[in-house]
Amino acid sequence: MLKFVNTDIVCQEYPDEIALAINISGCPCHCPGCHSSFLAADKGEMLTCEIVEKLIEEADSSISCIGFMGGDADPACINMLASHVRTKFPKLKVGWYSGRTMIASDIQLSNFDYIKIGPYLKHLGGLKSKRTNQKMFNINSSGEMIDITYRFQV
């Protein structure tokens, strides 16, 4: 089971969305220069379906998306939480930030609207850099992954 450290309401992680970002700890990626290196530690509160529901219900009612920020240690759990959000809150979009280069086989694309993949490489920069190795995908209703990384590179 995954743990989370904190949450925040964010406007720049997913295009055109106001998202409840849940920062998940226990990241196994250890990207040099990571802006959230504190998330490598195994700390925080257990992230269960009930906790996710509570966080959503406590969030500003203007959120349009929930973002799981990390969780590479247990993609099956991320998939289960995303599926739960899809069922319980069908109007919310669901996103996931993964530091891996490929989407884990435990992930069902139909549970997500957005998936970011790619480790942070300081010399290439994040999604805003035209040189980035990271990719943000929008998952359409047919399950097709559409690269929307360009939307961050204004």
Side-chain angles (χ1 to χ4, degrees), residues 1 10 17 27 31 41-42 44 46 58 87 90 100 102 104 108 110 115-116 125 131 134 139-140:
M1 186 56 65
V10 297
E17 307 293 345
C27 181
C31 303
D42 179 17
M46 297 301 286
E58 291 175 350
T87 302
R100 302 291 188 187
M102 299 185 67
Q108 292 178 308
S110 61
I115 295 180
K116 187 226 45 127
R131 297 179 36 209
Q134 298 179 322
I139 316 301
N140 69 17

Side-chain angles (χ1 to χ4, degrees), residues 45-141:
E45 185 179 343
M46 297 301 286
L47 189 59
T48 64
C49 290
E50 295 76 23
I51 295 295
V52 169
E53 286 181 33
K54 180 181 173 194
L55 293 171
I56 291 170
E57 290 165 358
E58 291 175 350
D60 185 317
S61 62
S62 65
I63 66 168
S64 59
C65 182
I66 183 167
F68 296 104
M69 311 305 278
D72 287 305
D74 193 347
C77 186
I78 288 292
N79 189 69
M80 181 269 304
L81 292 168
S83 176
H84 181 76
V85 170
R86 272 273 194 259
T87 302
K88 186 81 176 182
F89 302 93
K91 292 182 180 179
L92 280 182
K93 293 186 179 171
V94 180
W96 180 39
Y97 266 53
S98 170
R100 302 291 188 187
T101 57
M102 299 185 67
I103 297 172
S105 60
D106 294 322
I107 297 297
Q108 292 178 308
L109 294 179
S110 61
N111 291 328
F112 297 87
D113 297 283
Y114 303 101
I115 295 180
K116 187 226 45 127
I117 59 170
Y120 175 75
L121 299 177
K122 188 175 183 176
H123 68 286
L124 297 177
L127 286 174
K128 292 181 180 180
S129 169
K130 292 195 183 294
R131 297 179 36 209
T132 189
N133 63 299
Q134 298 179 322
K135 298 285 182 197
M136 173 64 83
F137 295 97
N138 176 244
I139 316 301
N140 69 17
S141 59

Side-chain angles (χ1 to χ4, degrees), residues 11-25:
C11 300
Q12 296 183 6
E13 304 297 335
Y14 303 97
D16 306 319
E17 307 293 345
I18 298 172
L20 170 65
I22 301 175
N23 291 312
I24 299 171
S25 65

